[in-house]
Amino acid sequence: MALDSLGRPLRDLRISVTDRCNFRCTYCMPREIFGRDFEFLRRDELLTFEEVARLARLFVQLGVEKIRLTGGEPLLRRDLERLVQMLSRIGGLQDLTLTTNGSLLTREKARALKEAGLNRITISLDSLNDEVFRAMNDVDFPVGRVLDAIEAAADAGLWPIKVDCVVKRGVNERSIVDMARHFRGSGHILRFIEYMDVGTTNGWRMADVVAGREIIDTIRREWPIEPLQPNYFGEVAERWRYVDGAGEVGVIMSVTQPFCGTCTRARLSAEGRLYLCLFASEGHDLRTRLRRDAGDEEILDAIRAVWRRRDDRYSEIRSEQTAGLPKVEMSHIGG
Ligand code: SAM
Ligand code: SF4
Ligand code: SF4
């Protein structure tokens, strides 16, 4: 088992399959920066599915049990189900999941992903108010089509669905109760996420963060809830259940209650760089080794060496000093 310098095992791998997205969420890819002139990765820079699957197999040998596909928008990558199928055949992998904005998740796509071996899915949705949501995704995408995607995923058996909602002060905090009401009793798990200072382009200010405690208090004023125990070591969401049996709701408090001490996540960017933290400034190139036909042992050694040196704990040391550091963009490595 690979342990980093703070004793944390490598358990989860998030794989970004593209840095492109059809949304321009203001907190992630503001259109002033990610405009027509923005240079995304070229096709030949992206890892092929075969390259991703090979690295994934090696990561599983090092202790990874859970893989999440992300982006950018992962469903922009054509035939993603082919990659899902390749990954689902890796012995020892216990969980294979995907995070998407839902815009391209048709019934056929959801079925194809399920049949290819996808275990679960997370769909992002920031508001049920159409005007608010259209402004947040900044491409005028309607709420109704994301709700259709959630239904399509559920009908395909990707159950229960996690619905992730980033809360930004003055933008969608009024949506908290509406979202909770809508997903209570649906069997899906709604999770509110504190707005984070990822990347350097979203103009993050602490004043725009709605703390997880406040979110919980807002829900508690409407319905009695009680805390649940974590499902496993390193679970990021604090989980609560409705006392009346209408299911659970979670909050991810990366800003106000950091969980770096149990962070077992590595991130692989679409061009094959290994990032050790969501807020890292640099990744470690693995693609060059892949493309010069390095053997498995050499690549395993390289990953082990990088992980052993890992001492990242950005959220615990977030301060005035860390604010100005260079950081990779969220759309480059996924959430
Ligand atoms: N495009 C897909 C989607 O939106 O689900 C996958 C990639 S997206 C980067 C993954 C998650 O990161 C989404 O749920 C998104 O809301 C979240 N996210 C992006 N920027 C964020 C920020 N500044 N703070 C908190 N969460 C953020
Ligand atoms: Fe795209 Fe997801 Fe970022 Fe929104 S949060 S811009 S959907 S990558
Ligand atoms: Fe993990 Fe970095 Fe987030 Fe801390 S700040 S929980 S080390 S990704």
Side-chain angles (χ1 to χ4, degrees):
M1 183 168 67
L3 291 183
D4 73 6
S5 74
L6 301 176
R8 299 168 296 186
L10 171 55
R11 289 253 186 276
D12 313 73
L13 179 65
R14 304 198 167 193
I15 304 177
S16 168
V17 292
T18 176
D19 58 338
R20 291 169 198 258
C21 189
N22 54 346
F23 281 16
R24 285 293 175 272
C25 301
T26 51
Y27 53 73
C28 179
M29 294 180 82
R31 67 163 62 248
E32 310 81 76
I33 311 281
F34 295 87
R36 207 170 287 161
D37 298 334
F38 188 83
E39 280 189 35
F40 290 100
L41 294 170
R42 296 189 315 271
R43 194 161 181 87
D44 62 315
E45 291 178 292
L46 299 182
L47 293 187
T48 63
F49 287 168
E50 286 69 22
E51 288 170 330
V52 173
R54 178 170 178 218
L55 283 180
R57 179 171 55 77
L58 298 177
F59 273 97
V60 170
Q61 281 183 37
L62 291 174
V64 164
E65 295 170 345
K66 180 172 159 189
I67 290 183
R68 175 177 298 278
L69 296 176
T70 176
E73 174 44 46
L75 294 181
L76 282 177
R77 191 83 187 247
R78 209 177 313 137
D79 298 332
L80 191 72
E81 53 276 23
R82 194 166 73 79
L83 176 63
V84 168
Q85 188 167 60
M86 290 161 87
L87 298 178
S88 71
R89 290 183 177 149
I90 297 175
L93 182 64
Q94 291 174 16
D95 197 15
L96 178 56
T97 167
L98 166 79
T99 303
T100 173
N101 62 25
S103 61
L104 303 167
L105 192 66
T106 57
R107 292 195 164 263
E108 297 71 51
K109 195 66 168 182
R111 258 198 308 269
L113 288 165
K114 173 71 184 173
E115 274 164 22
L118 191 71
N119 300 126
R120 295 179 306 122
I121 197 161
T122 299
I123 300 181
S124 305
L125 176 62
D126 297 328
S127 182
L128 287 172
N129 179 313
D130 208 46
E131 204 179 322
V132 171
F133 184 60
R134 284 176 194 255
M136 284 181 89
N137 63 53
D138 208 12
V139 293
D140 216 20
F141 198 85
V143 170
R145 286 180 54 194
V146 182
L147 294 177
D148 290 347
I150 293 172
E151 210 180 289
D155 290 348
L158 292 163
W159 183 269
I161 292 159
K162 286 190 180 146
V163 178
D164 279 5
C165 173
V166 176
V167 184
K168 194 170 169 193
R169 172 87 63 204
V171 177
N172 66 335
E173 69 213 285
R174 293 232 184 111
S175 303
I176 295 171
V177 171
D178 291 349
M179 289 282 287
R181 183 174 292 115
H182 184 87
F183 288 105
R184 256 172 59 82
S186 69
H188 307 317
I189 301 169
L190 174 63
R191 305 184 314 168
F192 293 101
I193 305 176
E194 287 179 351
Y195 171 44
M196 292 186 284
D197 49 339
V198 284
T200 53
T201 59
N202 63 7
W204 183 90
R205 299 176 313 157
M206 189 64 204
D208 295 331
V209 178
V210 180
R213 284 284 141 252
E214 185 180 332
I215 297 174
I216 287 299
D217 287 344
T218 305
I219 299 171
R220 212 202 313 249
R221 277 198 291 275
E222 301 291 322
W223 305 276
I225 49 174
E226 60 190 20
L228 281 166
Q229 288 304 312
N231 279 322
Y232 54 87
F233 174 83
E235 186 169 48
V236 297
E238 187 179 281
R239 299 163 58 228
W240 293 75
R241 68 179 281 278
Y242 294 103
V243 173
D244 66 5
E248 72 173 81
V249 60
V251 273
I252 301 181
M253 298 185 268
S254 352
V255 178
T256 62
Q257 269 185 47
F259 31 76
C260 304
T262 56
C263 179
T264 55
R265 288 175 291 284
R267 295 176 156 88
L268 183 66
S269 70
E271 87 274 46
R273 295 182 79 83
L274 173 60
Y275 287 84
L276 301 178
C277 175
L278 187 51
F279 301 89
S281 47
E282 279 299 321
H284 304 263
D285 173 32
L286 296 177
R287 189 185 63 195
T288 305
R289 282 194 177 77
L290 282 176
R291 294 198 176 165
R292 68 164 164 69
D293 288 332
D296 285 356
E297 272 315 313
E298 182 188 333
I299 299 175
L300 284 167
D301 282 347
I303 301 171
R304 256 191 227 108
V306 169
W307 188 262
R308 281 204 188 109
R309 285 198 302 274
R310 176 182 190 244
D311 61 359
D312 301 68
R313 50 188 201 93
Y314 178 91
S315 288
E316 287 181 349
I317 56 170
R318 180 182 280 112
S319 65
E320 297 282 304
Q321 279 76 37
T322 55
L325 294 176
K327 285 175 282 174
V328 63
E329 290 302 320
M330 181 82 144
S331 53
H332 202 80
I333 52 167

